[in-house]
Amino acid sequence: MGRDHPHGTSASWSIRAEPGSTPPSRPNTTPVEPVRNTGGSMNGDRQSPPWQTPRGSDRQPPPRYTPPAEPGPPPQVQEWTPPWASGPAQQHSNDPRYQPTSQDLAPDSLLRRPKRASTSGWRRGVHRLTGGVINPGESTAEERYRNQVERIRQPVLGDYRIAFLSLKGGVGKTTTTLGLGSTFASLRGDCVIAVDANPDFGTLGERVPNQTSSTVRDLLADADNIRRYSDIRAHTSQAPSRLEVLAGERDPAASEMFGEQDYRSVIEMLQVYYNLILTDCGTGIMHSAMNGVLQLANALVLVSSPAVDGARSAAATLDWLQLHGYGHLVERTVVVISSVRPGSSAVDMNLLTQHFLERCRAVLVVPFDEHLAEGAIVDLELLRPQTRAAFVELAAMVADDFPAASGRHSGSNWR
């Protein structure tokens, strides 16, 4: 082994390895990169932590201090949810009030149905000529009619009784009864009947094909033999629309007037077999039968003409009903303004309609129709399209007041 030179000159070192020992590694001769002055020290060197060594160094930074973990709650185990178990039921799974129902799998939400094809007009022609490739769909009028039919066909809880009133004759009360009853019978699948409760020889039975000479008096006399629907059908006549009519007494020799108890007995028999019962009342409201009609009615249809005297009579009828304890029927009354003459009236229809709308549930104007003005048998197929559309709208208005399927009616006086 050599010694250091006394004047600081370099001297070589000689290291002898001991037997069985590992020779030392050669020192790292990688050049150190220059460090620019960053203002950290006066001599221009950057002040770095001791573990930030030049590249290629074997030194590692000291480990960071990690405090011991505090004991906590045990980890929550999440149950695996299959990918198909998503949707409203999964979103509300944490809500105890949520009850999954079969409505989540309703056909309307699962099926992609094509548009309904039009049944008339150029839309139907395009659909047929293209073999169904191009489907313009239904028109606005067709959609509206389909909505009306759905309202008309809604189920009726029990039986529903509608009374037709008018203090003034010749305003179209009987034709309105037949028009509305025929519309219900033609669009619904259940039994609909119209009863002539006019004590002064009503003409309701003369407006349908005469299939029997039986009257309301004959039905009352045969009450003990009524066991089934066919027993009552033997006393009624049927219109082409399937509307059945129970005619009133037309014999001038009849000495007894059709009174309240007679009407109640007739309704008691009919409500077993008929869902809709329409009553064509007389022009008066003071006779005995009228008391039973109003007490058993679920809704009223008040018929008026587009004239001053007809409007005043209709308003007087509403006043009488309000003053005699039938205010609940006034609120559920549909006023029909029937045009019994051709041409437009000089009466302001907007003011007339607004007057009744402030007191009743709805108002409808039925236009003049030559077929109704004939006074003969009423056939829906012979009506003008505007007249028939008006009766469909009237039926939908009346059907909106049908009792709900749950047994609870929207009004507070449902009986």
Side-chain angles (χ1 to χ4, degrees), residues 115-125 127 135-150 392:
K115 294 187 297 184
R116 293 176 180 267
S118 178
T119 58
S120 61
W122 66 268
R123 299 171 180 269
R124 178 174 179 267
H127 184 262
N135 183 12
E138 293 179 316
S139 63
T140 304
E142 289 175 321
E143 292 181 359
R144 183 170 178 266
Y145 176 76
R146 181 162 51 85
N147 176 265
Q148 292 171 338
V149 172
E150 291 177 358
V392 172

Side-chain angles (χ1 to χ4, degrees), residues 39-361:
S41 62
M42 295 185 64
N43 58 1
D45 296 336
R46 182 172 55 184
Q47 300 294 327
S48 302
W51 58 82
Q52 291 188 1
T53 58
R55 295 182 181 179
S57 175
D58 295 335
R59 299 185 62 182
Q60 299 295 331
R64 295 183 178 180
Y65 171 76
T66 304
E70 297 182 0
Q76 296 182 355
V77 179
Q78 235 179 1
E79 295 184 359
W80 177 76
T81 303
W84 57 83
S86 60
Q90 181 66 19
Q91 296 174 4
H92 302 280
S93 58
N94 297 328
D95 191 350
R97 298 172 298 177
Y98 176 75
Q99 298 292 335
T101 62
S102 59
Q103 295 179 356
D104 298 334
L105 299 178
D108 294 339
S109 60
L110 294 179
L111 299 178
R112 296 181 179 178
R113 300 184 183 276
K115 294 187 297 184
R116 293 176 180 267
S118 178
T119 58
S120 61
W122 66 268
R123 299 171 180 269
R124 178 174 179 267
V126 171
H127 184 262
R128 293 187 62 184
L129 289 176
T130 59
V133 176
I134 300 178
N135 183 12
E138 293 179 316
S139 63
T140 304
E142 289 175 321
E143 292 181 359
R144 183 170 178 266
Y145 176 76
R146 181 162 51 85
N147 176 265
Q148 292 171 338
V149 172
E150 291 177 358
R151 291 157 58 192
I152 294 173
R153 290 176 176 173
Q154 60 181 304
V156 178
L157 184 66
D159 65 296
Y160 191 82
R161 299 175 290 275
I162 310 167
F164 292 76
L165 306 180
S166 176
L167 286 184
K168 188 177 184 302
V171 297
K173 175 175 55 64
T174 300
T175 56
T176 302
T177 304
L178 290 168
L180 179 59
S182 298
T183 302
F184 272 129
S186 62
L187 295 178
R188 295 179 59 91
D190 46 13
C191 297
V192 184
I193 190 171
V195 181
D196 193 346
N198 190 343
D200 301 325
F201 308 108
T203 61
L204 183 67
E206 298 178 356
R207 307 298 296 273
V208 297
N210 187 11
Q211 297 176 343
T212 177
S213 59
S214 181
T215 65
V216 63
R217 283 292 178 190
D218 299 320
L219 177 64
L220 289 173
D222 197 28
D224 295 337
N225 299 323
I226 302 299
R227 296 290 186 271
R228 57 185 66 88
Y229 165 74
S230 59
D231 297 334
I232 290 185
R233 180 65 181 86
H235 297 276
T236 65
S237 298
Q238 193 175 63
S241 61
R242 293 183 56 256
L243 171 68
E244 296 182 37
V245 172
L246 181 60
E249 187 58 61
R250 297 285 299 171
D251 187 3
S255 58
E256 295 183 5
M257 180 179 290
F258 186 74
E260 175 183 356
Q261 188 56 45
D262 297 328
Y263 179 78
R264 291 181 178 273
S265 299
V266 170
I267 296 300
E268 185 178 355
M269 287 186 287
L270 296 181
Q271 65 183 0
V272 180
Y273 307 99
Y274 297 88
N275 299 94
L276 296 179
I277 303 176
L278 287 66
T279 302
D280 183 17
C281 305
T283 55
I285 56 178
M286 305 299 295
H287 55 82
S288 174
M290 199 64 190
N291 189 33
V293 170
L294 294 177
Q295 291 183 4
L296 297 180
N298 300 124
L300 299 180
V301 174
L302 181 60
V303 184
S304 174
S305 62
V308 176
D309 56 347
R312 287 180 176 177
S313 298
T317 304
L318 296 177
D319 294 337
W320 187 92
L321 293 172
Q322 195 77 45
L323 294 175
H324 288 79
Y326 298 104
H328 63 283
L329 290 178
V330 174
E331 298 173 357
R332 288 157 56 188
T333 296
V334 177
V335 176
V336 175
I337 302 177
S338 177
S339 301
V340 294
R341 300 183 184 90
S344 59
S345 174
V347 177
D348 191 335
M349 297 300 295
N350 292 330
L351 292 178
L352 185 61
T353 302
Q354 186 62 32
H355 170 78
F356 288 115
L357 276 179
E358 294 176 355
R359 308 184 62 181
C360 305
R361 187 166 66 88

